[in-house]
Amino acid sequence: MTSTALNRQRRSRELEKLTGPVDLLVIGGGVTGTGIALDAASRGLSVVLAEKQDLAHGTSRWSSKLVHGGLRYLASGQVSVAYESAAERSILMRYTAPHLTRALPQVVPLLPNVNAATAGLIRTGYLTGDLLRTAAATPSSLLPRSRRLSRTEVRHYAPTVRADGLRGGLVFWDGQLVDDARLVVALARTAAGFGARILTRCHASQVTGSGAVLTDELTGDRYTVDARMVVNAAGVWAGQVAPNVHLRPSRGSHLVFPRDAFGGLTSGLTVPVPGQRNRFVFALPAEERVYVGLTDEETFGDAPDEPRPTESEVDFLIETINTVLARPVSRDDLLGSFAGLRPLLSTGAKRTADLSRRHAVLTAPDGLVTVVGGKLTTYRRMAESAVDAALKHAGRTARRCRTRRIRLVGAADHRRLASLPQPARLIRRYGVEARDVVGDGSGAEPVASGMATTMAEFRFAVTHELALTVDDLLDRRTRIGLSASDRERAEPAARAALG
């Protein structure tokens, strides 16, 4: 393998080498595109990935940060999709990225607004989720079985839950990512280790099944790339690359709160939406923050680079989560908000909520392969399907997919991770590479007063993670930018790290 370090200098060198044909050109640097680059490069194919902005710039950083076992898809009868999610969750948590994932208990408080019939349905769903976990060979030592909770146990997991009328709760264990953008960066760097050329700030135009023109957004230079295969993994912008692809994007919005607004929440909270069946709002703890989501609203027109929640979505999420809280939250508590657009294939359903979450791979007559739909948890299967489709159409052969057993940069088994001497926060984000981030100990100072992120992390992002701008550092390599005030305070340190 070659070096996994990505930086400005390597990017420049690899742009200069864009001569001669490559086996595969991937358009899009989200979780699907980087997953495809890794899949193809690990099969021995020469790969170029072109992303017009930054790694994880789009939907891939706006998820709920869950590696979920597909429980939500059972309610709509998508059993095969649910099983696929459970199987891919197991691969991520056990082998591919144990350092970036953890088990998260999710608690449904049984309050008066959850009657016995609703509680029974939820419990049945959780038991089915246990069966999916078993079928996916995920041990209960990693994801415990669901069970009933006492009132005291509910309050232990979620101290802010109302005590009046509380008759206990239900708990189900699922997976959670420390950060979705970090997964994308790890995929890109692992692909680079197999020889893939990862080119951010490169806009692809004149895309066909045999190549494209890439424009370096930093210099304006243009490069013609001849490719034996091309895969369009541009997400909600896939239709701009392949006009024959028709999507119905769905907006999923989240609110960002400080963790103390939820009284030290240690589990996810699952709150049924009043008056609706099989729809829930979640409060998900993530380090010092809590994310509250999720909506499912169809969007129209061109997909913006950074979608935003609507005022009505903000009100809906706050009102729903407050139905279970002893101390209600309000807009005054908000640190920020974000929204992502799901690239759902239009299939004629009346609501985007009814569209299948199964991914689709479409091949145009000229050989351009487009992959849409799916979800973050199943990125690996999406990548495998896309590469297989490209190979089939091109009449080419390559090694079988190997990504089930390729550890991402920083990954190791749980025993080794637990033995590392570096701070736990760094191990959760960098795994065994935490040692390289810490280095000789210089840069241990925080990027701003009261923040956990250090200058060493900023520098590592510049030298190893292809951070080229202040936005890359604050909004994607770290998530400082989710809070506007924190972003402002950390910006001088980001500029200093970039030199």
Side-chain angles (χ1 to χ4, degrees), residues 44-236:
L45 301 174
S46 59
V47 177
V48 170
L49 181 148
E51 161 57 48
K52 68 177 180 178
Q53 303 204 60
D54 182 30
L55 296 172
H57 186 276
T59 303
S60 294
R61 65 171 161 142
W62 300 134
S63 76
S64 297
K65 319 296 185 275
L66 291 177
V67 183
H68 63 78
L71 190 61
R72 68 186 70 175
Y73 306 120
L74 291 175
S76 56
Q78 300 180 62
V79 178
S80 62
V81 178
Y83 173 73
E84 182 179 79
S85 291
E88 293 302 313
R89 176 185 64 184
S90 184
I91 292 170
L92 265 168
M93 297 187 71
R94 296 178 64 196
Y95 200 87
T96 308
H99 59 312
L100 298 178
T101 57
R102 69 169 185 133
L104 177 72
Q106 297 201 56
V107 174
V108 178
L110 297 180
L111 288 159
N113 62 328
V114 180
N115 59 36
T118 300
L121 284 173
I122 294 171
R123 180 65 179 134
T124 300
Y126 283 1
L127 290 172
T128 308
D130 290 339
L131 292 176
L132 285 173
R133 175 187 57 76
T134 301
T138 308
S140 58
S141 59
L142 181 60
L143 288 177
R145 291 185 294 271
S146 64
R147 63 186 181 90
R148 179 81 181 243
L149 297 177
S150 68
R151 295 176 77 254
T152 301
E153 288 175 313
V154 172
R155 298 275 291 173
H156 170 75
Y157 281 121
T160 190
V161 166
R162 286 169 32 203
D164 56 305
L166 180 65
R167 58 185 191 278
L170 301 170
V171 64
F172 177 80
W173 293 75
D174 216 338
Q176 184 183 39
L177 281 165
V178 65
D179 184 3
D180 43 11
R182 294 215 60 76
L183 174 64
V184 176
V185 172
L187 284 164
R189 290 186 54 211
T190 308
F194 282 95
R197 284 172 275 181
I198 308 298
L199 305 175
T200 57
R201 301 305 193 291
C202 280
H203 175 68
S205 60
Q206 302 177 41
V207 180
T208 68
S210 57
V213 174
L214 303 186
T215 301
D216 182 352
E217 297 292 323
L218 301 183
T219 65
D221 293 339
R222 291 163 63 88
Y223 305 84
T224 298
V225 178
D226 294 321
R228 299 179 180 92
M229 299 171 286
V230 180
V231 175
N232 169 20
V236 291

Side-chain angles (χ1 to χ4, degrees), residues 308-360:
R308 303 299 308 169
T310 64
E311 293 299 307
S312 61
E313 286 177 299
V314 174
D315 290 338
F316 162 74
L317 291 172
I318 289 177
E319 290 169 5
T320 303
I321 203 67
N322 277 343
T323 62
V324 303
L325 301 182
R327 177 198 173 277
V329 294
S330 71
R331 287 175 178 264
D332 293 339
D333 297 306
L334 276 175
L335 293 175
S337 61
F338 62 87
L341 297 179
R342 307 174 183 91
L344 303 179
L345 188 65
S346 181
T347 59
K350 291 183 178 180
R351 304 181 309 156
T352 54
D354 297 326
L355 292 175
S356 173
R357 267 43 176 180
R358 178 179 291 282
H359 68 271

Side-chain angles (χ1 to χ4, degrees), residues 23-24 39-41 43-46 228-231 361 363 367 369 383-401:
D23 291 325
L24 178 65
D39 184 293
R43 298 193 198 198
L45 301 174
S46 59
R228 299 179 180 92
M229 299 171 286
V230 180
V231 175
V361 178
T363 303
V369 173
E384 181 181 356
S385 297
V387 175
D388 284 347
L391 288 167
K392 180 178 179 180
H393 187 274
R396 299 179 61 83
T397 59
R399 300 172 189 165
R400 294 174 64 88
C401 176

